[in-house]
């Protein structure tokens, strides 16, 4: 069973190595590590691990927090691909996409951000058009989206007033970024956390900007 473990660790040499040693001693294999943020003496890391069938998920928390100063921000099952070149794969897919840019983004962004789903939207909350959606994306009919049309990247936490009660109960964390000046936007979500960080939002804005630029390029 694979899990995504988000850790807040002291930003000093050897800390992540100590975490790896503690997880290894508990029979837990690290598959990948992404450093999301660094600052104020701490780092935020996303760690994908494989847990042996004879271990419970709580053993991940016990092992990680046995290292002084390490905190577990969230833990959830992870079923995504175990690749380490997700953004490069996205850019390669965008290059020949042309008018299919929205479909590529909806399909690939969940892999890039290890989220549950992605939707490419256009219009307003009252007049919404879904241009593309990933397989696990929810139906947005009747869901108020007061932040549309979107002009700037936004973090959309699950406890916001507009979020449906069912989504709040499932802790559906979201973020969104504009794709073009005409009101097209990309919405990403994941159930059960972890919350999207500002660094992830900036990455999303950067990637949507690149996608918009690629889409405007004339065919080779």
């Amino acid at each position: 069973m694979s899990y995504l473990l988000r850790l807040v660790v002291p930003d000093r040499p050897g800390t992540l190595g100590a975490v790896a040693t503690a997880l290894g001693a508990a029979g837990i294999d690290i598959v990948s590590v992404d450093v999301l943020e660094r600052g104020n003496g701490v780092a935020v890391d996303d760690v994908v691990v494989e847990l042996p069938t004879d271990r419970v998920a709580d053993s991940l928390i016990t092992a990680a927090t046995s290292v002084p100063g390490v905190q577990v921000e969230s833990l959830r099952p992870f079923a995504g691909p175990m690749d380490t070149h997700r953004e490069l794969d996205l850019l390669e897919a965008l290059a020949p996409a042309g008018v299919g840019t929205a479909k590529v983004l909806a399909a690939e962004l969940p892999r890039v951000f290890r989220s549950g789903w992605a939707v490419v939207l256009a219009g307003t909350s009252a007049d919404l058009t879904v241009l593309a959606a990933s397989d696990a994306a929810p139906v947005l009919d009747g869901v108020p989206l007061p932040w549309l049309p979107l002009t700037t990247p936004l973090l959309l936490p699950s406890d916001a007033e507009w979020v449906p009660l069912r989504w709040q109960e499932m802790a559906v964390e979201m973020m969104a970024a504009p794709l073009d000046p005409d009101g097209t936007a990309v919405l990403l979500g994941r159930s059960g956390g972890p919350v999207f960080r500002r660094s992830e939002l900036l990455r999303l804005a950067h990637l949507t900007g690149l996608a918009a630029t690629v889409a405007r390029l004339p065919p080779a």
Side-chain angles (χ1 to χ4, degrees):
M1 183 71 179
S2 298
Y3 286 87
L4 176 60
L5 188 66
R6 177 163 292 182
L7 302 176
V8 180
V9 305
D11 190 11
R12 58 175 179 260
T15 300
L16 195 55
V19 172
T21 299
L23 293 174
I28 300 162
D29 291 331
I30 294 179
V31 177
S32 68
V33 178
D34 285 342
V35 180
L36 297 182
E37 294 180 3
R38 300 179 71 178
N40 299 320
V42 299
V44 181
D45 301 327
D46 272 356
V47 184
V48 176
V49 300
E50 288 187 346
L51 188 67
T53 55
D54 61 343
R55 303 294 174 89
V56 296
D58 283 352
S59 64
L60 285 167
I61 298 175
T62 301
T65 55
S66 69
V67 179
V70 173
Q71 301 174 43
V72 175
E73 183 176 287
S74 66
L75 172 67
R76 68 179 176 91
F78 179 75
M82 301 302 181
D83 58 277
T84 58
H85 301 90
R86 301 182 301 276
E87 294 185 19
L88 291 176
D89 291 343
L90 170 61
L91 295 176
E92 288 181 359
L94 283 173
V99 294
T101 295
K103 290 183 178 180
V104 171
L105 290 174
E108 297 294 330
L109 283 174
R111 293 199 311 124
V112 173
F113 291 95
R114 293 185 172 131
S115 63
W117 49 267
V119 180
V120 181
L121 312 166
T124 66
S125 182
D127 184 22
L128 183 67
T129 299
V130 175
L131 301 178
S134 63
D135 291 340
V139 176
L140 298 178
D141 294 344
V143 177
L145 303 173
W147 39 271
L148 286 177
L150 189 64
T151 58
T152 186
L154 285 179
L155 293 171
L156 302 166
S158 60
D159 58 358
E161 290 185 3
W162 65 270
V163 177
L165 179 59
R166 177 60 176 160
W167 291 17
Q168 293 185 22
E169 293 172 345
M170 295 170 61
V172 178
E173 303 295 342
M174 291 168 283
M175 65 176 176
L179 184 57
D180 62 35
D182 300 323
T184 306
V186 177
L187 173 66
L188 268 71
R190 56 187 172 209
S191 299
V195 298
F196 286 105
R197 292 268 179 167
R198 180 167 177 78
S199 58
E200 293 177 288
L201 181 65
L202 295 176
R203 282 173 61 205
L204 175 62
H206 178 65
L207 289 172
T208 54
L210 288 175
T213 299
V214 170
R216 290 194 296 268
L217 293 175

